[in-house]
Coordinates of all heavy atoms in Angstrom, one line a residue:
M21 N 107.7 126.7 86.2 CA 107.7 125.9 87.3 C 107.4 124.4 86.9 O 106.4 124.2 86.0 CB 106.5 126.4 88.2 CG 106.3 125.5 89.4 SD 105.0 126.2 90.5 CE 106.0 126.8 91.8
E22 N 108.1 123.4 87.3 CA 107.9 122.1 86.9 C 107.2 121.3 88.1 O 107.6 121.5 89.2 CB 109.2 121.5 86.5 CG 109.7 122.0 85.2 CD 111.0 121.3 84.8 OE1 111.1 120.1 85.2 OE2 111.8 121.9 84.1
F23 N 106.2 120.4 87.7 CA 105.7 119.5 88.8 C 106.2 118.1 88.3 O 106.2 117.6 87.3 CB 104.2 119.5 88.6 CG 103.7 120.9 89.0 CD1 103.2 121.8 88.2 CD2 103.5 121.2 90.4 CE1 102.7 123.0 88.6 CE2 103.0 122.4 90.9 CZ 102.6 123.3 90.0
T24 N 106.7 117.4 89.4 CA 107.1 116.0 89.2 C 106.3 115.1 90.1 O 105.9 115.5 91.2 CB 108.6 115.8 89.5 OG1 108.8 116.2 90.8 CG2 109.5 116.6 88.5
E25 N 106.0 113.9 89.6 CA 105.2 113.1 90.4 C 106.3 112.1 91.1 O 107.0 111.4 90.5 CB 104.3 112.2 89.5 CG 103.4 111.3 90.3 CD 102.4 110.5 89.4 OE1 102.0 111.1 88.5 OE2 102.2 109.3 89.7
N26 N 106.1 112.1 92.5 CA 107.0 111.3 93.2 C 106.2 110.1 93.7 O 105.6 110.1 94.8 CB 107.6 112.0 94.3 CG 108.7 111.3 95.0 OD1 109.0 110.2 94.7 ND2 109.3 111.8 96.1
S27 N 106.2 109.0 93.0 CA 105.4 107.8 93.4 C 106.3 106.8 94.2 O 105.8 105.7 94.4 CB 104.7 107.2 92.2 OG 105.8 106.7 91.2
A28 N 107.5 107.1 94.4 CA 108.4 106.2 95.1 C 108.2 106.2 96.6 O 109.0 105.6 97.3 CB 109.9 106.5 94.7
K29 N 107.3 107.1 97.1 CA 107.1 107.2 98.5 C 106.4 105.9 99.1 O 105.6 105.4 98.4 CB 106.1 108.4 98.9 CG 106.8 109.7 98.7 CD 105.8 110.8 99.0 CE 106.3 112.2 98.7 NZ 105.4 113.2 99.1
P30 N 106.9 105.5 100.2 CA 106.3 104.3 100.7 C 104.8 104.5 101.2 O 104.7 105.6 101.8 CB 107.2 103.9 101.9 CG 107.9 105.1 102.3 CD 108.0 106.0 101.0
I31 N 103.9 103.6 101.1 CA 102.6 103.7 101.6 C 102.5 103.2 103.0 O 102.9 102.0 103.1 CB 101.6 103.1 100.6 CG1 101.7 103.7 99.3 CG2 100.2 103.1 101.2 CD1 100.9 102.9 98.2
N32 N 102.2 104.0 104.0 CA 102.3 103.6 105.3 C 100.9 103.4 105.9 O 100.7 102.6 106.9 CB 102.9 104.5 106.2 CG 104.5 104.7 105.9 OD1 105.0 103.6 105.4 ND2 105.1 105.8 106.0
S33 N 99.8 103.9 105.4 CA 98.5 103.9 106.0 C 97.7 102.8 105.4 O 97.9 102.5 104.2 CB 97.8 105.2 105.9 OG 97.4 105.4 104.6
K34 N 96.8 102.2 106.1 CA 95.9 101.2 105.6 C 94.9 101.7 104.7 O 94.7 101.1 103.6 CB 95.2 100.5 106.8 CG 94.3 99.4 106.4 CD 93.6 98.8 107.6 CE 92.7 97.6 107.3 NZ 92.0 97.1 108.4
G35 N 94.5 103.0 104.8 CA 93.6 103.6 103.9 C 94.2 103.8 102.5 O 93.5 103.6 101.5
A36 N 95.4 104.1 102.5 CA 96.1 104.3 101.2 C 96.2 103.1 100.5 O 96.0 103.0 99.2 CB 97.5 104.9 101.4
L37 N 96.5 101.9 101.1 CA 96.5 100.6 100.5 C 95.1 100.2 99.9 O 95.1 99.7 98.8 CB 97.1 99.6 101.4 CG 98.5 99.6 101.8 CD1 98.8 98.7 102.9 CD2 99.4 99.4 100.6
I38 N 94.1 100.4 100.6 CA 92.7 100.2 100.2 C 92.4 101.1 99.0 O 91.8 100.5 98.0 CB 91.7 100.3 101.4 CG1 92.0 99.4 102.4 CG2 90.3 100.2 100.9 CD1 91.2 99.5 103.6
F39 N 92.7 102.3 99.0 CA 92.5 103.2 97.9 C 93.3 102.8 96.7 O 92.6 102.9 95.6 CB 92.8 104.6 98.3 CG 92.4 105.7 97.3 CD1 91.1 106.0 97.1 CD2 93.4 106.4 96.6 CE1 90.7 106.9 96.1 CE2 93.0 107.3 95.6 CZ 91.7 107.6 95.3
K40 N 94.4 102.4 96.9 CA 95.3 102.0 95.7 C 94.7 100.8 95.1 O 94.6 100.7 93.8 CB 96.7 101.8 96.2 CG 97.6 101.4 95.0 CD 99.0 101.2 95.5 CE 99.9 100.6 94.3 NZ 101.3 100.3 94.8
K41 N 94.2 99.9 95.9 CA 93.6 98.6 95.3 C 92.2 98.9 94.7 O 92.0 98.4 93.6 CB 93.3 97.6 96.6 CG 92.5 96.4 96.1 CD 93.4 95.4 95.5 CE 92.7 94.1 95.4 NZ 92.4 93.7 94.0
M42 N 91.5 99.8 95.2 CA 90.2 100.3 94.5 C 90.5 100.8 93.2 O 89.8 100.6 92.1 CB 89.5 101.3 95.4 CG 88.9 100.7 96.6 SD 88.1 101.9 97.8 CE 87.5 103.1 96.7
L43 N 91.5 101.7 93.0 CA 91.9 102.3 91.7 C 92.4 101.2 90.7 O 92.0 101.4 89.6 CB 93.0 103.4 91.8 CG 92.5 104.6 92.6 CD1 93.6 105.6 92.8 CD2 91.4 105.3 91.8
E44 N 93.1 100.3 91.2 CA 93.6 99.2 90.4 C 92.4 98.4 89.9 O 92.3 98.0 88.7 CB 94.5 98.3 91.0 CG 95.9 99.0 91.4 CD 96.8 98.2 92.2 OE1 96.4 97.1 92.7 OE2 98.0 98.6 92.4
D45 N 91.5 98.0 90.8 CA 90.3 97.3 90.4 C 89.4 98.0 89.4 O 88.9 97.4 88.4 CB 89.4 96.9 91.7 CG 90.1 95.9 92.5 OD1 91.2 95.3 92.1 OD2 89.7 95.6 93.7
K46 N 89.3 99.3 89.6 CA 88.5 100.2 88.7 C 89.1 100.1 87.4 O 88.3 100.0 86.4 CB 88.4 101.6 89.3 CG 87.6 102.6 88.4 CD 87.7 104.0 89.0 CE 87.0 104.9 88.1 NZ 87.7 105.3 86.9
K47 N 90.3 100.2 87.3 CA 91.0 100.4 86.0 C 90.9 98.9 85.3 O 90.5 98.9 84.0 CB 92.5 100.6 86.2 CG 93.2 100.8 84.9 CD 94.7 101.1 85.0 CE 95.4 101.2 83.7 NZ 96.8 101.5 83.9
A48 N 91.0 97.8 86.0 CA 90.8 96.5 85.4 C 89.4 96.3 85.0 O 89.1 95.8 83.8 CB 91.2 95.5 86.5
I49 N 88.3 96.7 85.7 CA 87.0 96.6 85.4 C 86.7 97.4 84.1 O 86.1 97.0 83.1 CB 86.1 96.9 86.5 CG1 86.2 95.9 87.6 CG2 84.7 97.0 86.1 CD1 85.6 96.3 88.9
H50 N 87.2 98.6 84.1 CA 87.0 99.5 83.0 C 87.5 98.9 81.7 O 86.9 98.9 80.7 CB 87.6 100.8 83.2 CG 87.5 101.8 82.1 ND1 86.3 102.5 81.8 CD2 88.4 102.3 81.2 CE1 86.5 103.2 80.7 NE2 87.8 103.2 80.4
E51 N 88.7 98.4 81.7 CA 89.4 97.8 80.6 C 88.6 96.6 80.1 O 88.4 96.4 78.9 CB 90.8 97.5 80.8 CG 91.8 98.6 81.0 CD 91.8 99.5 79.7 OE1 91.8 98.9 78.6 OE2 91.8 100.8 79.8
Y52 N 88.2 95.8 81.0 CA 87.4 94.6 80.6 C 86.1 94.9 80.0 O 85.7 94.4 78.9 CB 87.1 93.8 81.9 CG 86.3 92.5 81.6 CD1 86.9 91.4 81.1 CD2 85.0 92.4 81.9 CE1 86.3 90.2 80.8 CE2 84.3 91.2 81.7 CZ 84.9 90.2 81.1 OH 84.2 89.1 80.8
L53 N 85.3 95.9 80.5 CA 84.1 96.3 79.8 C 84.3 97.1 78.6 O 83.5 97.0 77.7 CB 83.3 97.3 80.9 CG 82.8 96.6 82.2 CD1 82.3 97.6 83.1 CD2 81.9 95.5 81.9
K54 N 85.4 97.8 78.4 CA 85.7 98.5 77.3 C 86.0 97.5 76.1 O 85.7 97.8 74.9 CB 87.0 99.4 77.5 CG 87.3 100.3 76.4 CD 88.5 101.2 76.8 CE 89.1 102.0 75.8 NZ 90.2 102.8 76.1
Q55 N 86.5 96.3 76.4 CA 86.8 95.3 75.4 C 85.5 94.4 75.1 O 85.6 93.4 74.3 CB 88.0 94.4 75.9 CG 89.3 95.2 76.0 CD 90.3 94.3 76.6 OE1 90.1 93.1 77.0 NE2 91.5 94.8 76.7
G56 N 84.4 94.8 75.6 CA 83.2 94.1 75.3 C 82.7 93.0 76.3 O 81.8 92.3 76.1
G57 N 83.4 93.0 77.5 CA 83.0 92.0 78.5 C 81.8 92.5 79.2 O 81.3 93.6 79.1
K58 N 81.2 91.5 80.0 CA 79.9 91.8 80.7 C 80.2 91.9 82.1 O 81.0 91.2 82.7 CB 78.9 90.7 80.4 CG 78.5 90.6 79.0 CD 77.5 89.5 78.8 CE 77.1 89.4 77.4 NZ 76.2 88.3 77.0
L59 N 79.4 92.8 82.8 CA 79.6 93.0 84.3 C 79.3 91.8 85.0 O 79.9 91.5 86.0 CB 78.8 94.2 84.7 CG 78.9 94.7 86.1 CD1 80.3 95.2 86.2 CD2 77.9 95.8 86.4
A60 N 78.3 91.0 84.6 CA 77.9 89.7 85.3 C 79.1 88.8 85.3 O 79.1 87.9 86.3 CB 76.7 89.1 84.5
D61 N 80.0 88.8 84.4 CA 81.1 87.9 84.3 C 82.2 88.2 85.5 O 82.9 87.4 85.9 CB 81.9 87.9 83.0 CG 81.0 87.5 81.9 OD1 80.0 86.8 82.2 OD2 81.3 87.9 80.8
L62 N 82.1 89.4 86.0 CA 83.0 90.0 87.0 C 82.5 89.7 88.3 O 83.3 89.9 89.3 CB 83.4 91.4 86.7 CG 84.1 91.7 85.4 CD1 84.2 93.2 85.3 CD2 85.4 91.1 85.4
K63 N 81.3 89.4 88.5 CA 80.7 89.2 90.0 C 81.6 88.2 90.8 O 81.5 88.4 92.0 CB 79.3 88.9 89.9 CG 78.4 90.1 89.4 CD 76.9 89.8 89.5 CE 76.2 91.0 89.2 NZ 74.8 90.8 89.3
S64 N 82.1 87.2 90.2 CA 82.8 86.2 90.9 C 84.2 86.7 91.4 O 84.7 86.2 92.2 CB 82.9 84.9 90.2 OG 83.6 85.1 89.0
K65 N 84.7 87.7 90.6 CA 86.1 88.1 90.9 C 86.1 89.4 91.9 O 87.0 89.6 92.7 CB 86.7 88.6 89.6 CG 88.2 88.8 89.7 CD 88.8 89.0 88.4 CE 90.4 89.3 88.7 NZ 91.0 89.5 87.3
Y66 N 85.0 90.2 91.7 CA 85.0 91.4 92.5 C 83.7 91.5 93.3 O 82.7 90.9 92.9 CB 85.1 92.6 91.5 CG 86.3 92.8 90.7 CD1 86.2 92.4 89.5 CD2 87.5 93.3 91.3 CE1 87.5 92.5 88.6 CE2 88.6 93.4 90.5 CZ 88.6 93.1 89.2 OH 89.7 93.1 88.4
R67 N 83.8 92.1 94.5 CA 82.6 92.5 95.2 C 82.1 93.9 94.9 O 82.8 94.8 95.0 CB 82.9 92.4 96.7 CG 83.2 91.0 97.4 CD 83.4 91.0 98.8 NE 82.9 92.3 99.5 CZ 83.3 92.5 100.7 NH1 84.1 91.7 101.4 NH2 82.9 93.6 101.3
F68 N 80.8 93.9 94.5 CA 80.2 95.1 94.1 C 79.2 95.6 95.3 O 78.6 94.8 95.8 CB 79.5 95.0 92.8 CG 80.4 94.8 91.7 CD1 80.4 93.5 91.1 CD2 81.0 95.8 91.1 CE1 81.3 93.3 90.1 CE2 81.9 95.6 90.0 CZ 82.0 94.4 89.5
A69 N 79.2 96.8 95.5 CA 78.2 97.4 96.5 C 76.9 97.4 96.0 O 76.7 97.6 94.8 CB 78.6 98.8 96.9
N70 N 75.9 97.3 96.8 CA 74.4 97.4 96.4 C 74.1 98.8 96.2 O 74.4 99.7 97.1 CB 73.5 96.7 97.4 CG 73.8 95.3 97.5 OD1 74.1 94.7 96.5 ND2 73.5 94.7 98.7
P71 N 73.5 99.2 95.1 CA 73.1 100.6 95.0 C 72.1 101.1 95.9 O 71.2 100.2 96.3 CB 72.6 100.7 93.5 CG 72.2 99.2 93.2 CD 73.1 98.4 94.1
L72 N 72.1 102.3 96.4 CA 71.1 102.8 97.2 C 70.0 103.4 96.4 O 70.1 103.9 95.4 CB 71.7 104.0 98.2 CG 72.9 103.5 99.1 CD1 73.4 104.8 99.8 CD2 72.3 102.5 100.1
S73 N 68.7 103.2 96.9 CA 67.6 103.8 96.3 C 67.5 105.2 96.6 O 67.7 105.7 97.8 CB 66.3 103.0 96.8 OG 65.2 103.5 96.2
S74 N 67.2 106.0 95.6 CA 67.0 107.5 95.9 C 65.6 107.8 96.4 O 65.4 108.9 96.8 CB 67.3 108.2 94.6 OG 66.4 107.9 93.6
S75 N 64.6 106.9 96.3 CA 63.3 107.2 96.8 C 63.1 106.6 98.1 O 63.7 105.7 98.5 CB 62.3 106.5 95.8 OG 62.5 105.1 95.7
R76 N 62.3 107.2 98.9 CA 62.0 106.8 100.2 C 60.9 105.8 100.2 O 60.0 105.9 99.5 CB 61.7 108.0 101.1 CG 62.8 108.9 101.4 CD 62.4 109.9 102.3 NE 63.5 110.9 102.6 CZ 63.5 111.8 103.5 NH1 62.3 112.2 104.1 NH2 64.5 112.6 103.7
N77 N 61.1 104.9 101.1 CA 59.9 103.9 101.3 C 58.8 104.5 102.1 O 59.1 105.0 103.3 CB 60.3 102.6 102.0 CG 61.3 101.8 101.0 OD1 61.3 102.0 99.9 ND2 62.3 101.1 101.7
K78 N 57.6 104.5 101.7 CA 56.5 105.1 102.5 C 55.5 104.1 103.0 O 55.3 103.1 102.4 CB 55.8 106.2 101.6 CG 56.7 107.3 101.4 CD 55.8 108.4 100.6 CE 56.7 109.7 100.4 NZ 56.0 110.7 99.8

């Protein structure tokens, strides 16, 4: 049984476009960091989410 990847399908949903952009950005960031770049240098180019704290405020 052979599996083929059919990436020629048109993307119709807005969510698919956003997900595709996220994967492209992730790949670009990974390659930049792999080459010795710093995350601080990318803050002007990409928007990063604020991390959530795992501890509760008491």
Side-chain angles (χ1 to χ4, degrees):
M21 178 180 251
E22 292 184 28
F23 293 100
T24 59
E25 184 176 324
N26 188 3
S27 62
K29 291 182 182 179
I31 300 173
N32 294 329
S33 71
K34 184 177 179 182
L37 290 174
I38 293 170
F39 185 68
K40 183 178 178 184
K41 174 76 169 117
M42 285 172 41
L43 290 178
E44 291 170 355
D45 289 349
K46 179 185 178 286
K47 184 177 179 182
I49 292 168
H50 175 75
E51 289 298 320
Y52 181 76
L53 295 175
K54 189 176 172 182
Q55 294 175 359
K58 295 182 181 179
L59 191 60
D61 298 338
L62 296 174
K63 286 187 178 183
S64 63
K65 187 174 182 180
Y66 298 102
R67 282 183 21 194
F68 294 102
N70 293 331
L72 296 175
S73 175
S74 62
S75 63
R76 292 184 176 182
N77 295 333
K78 291 184 179 184

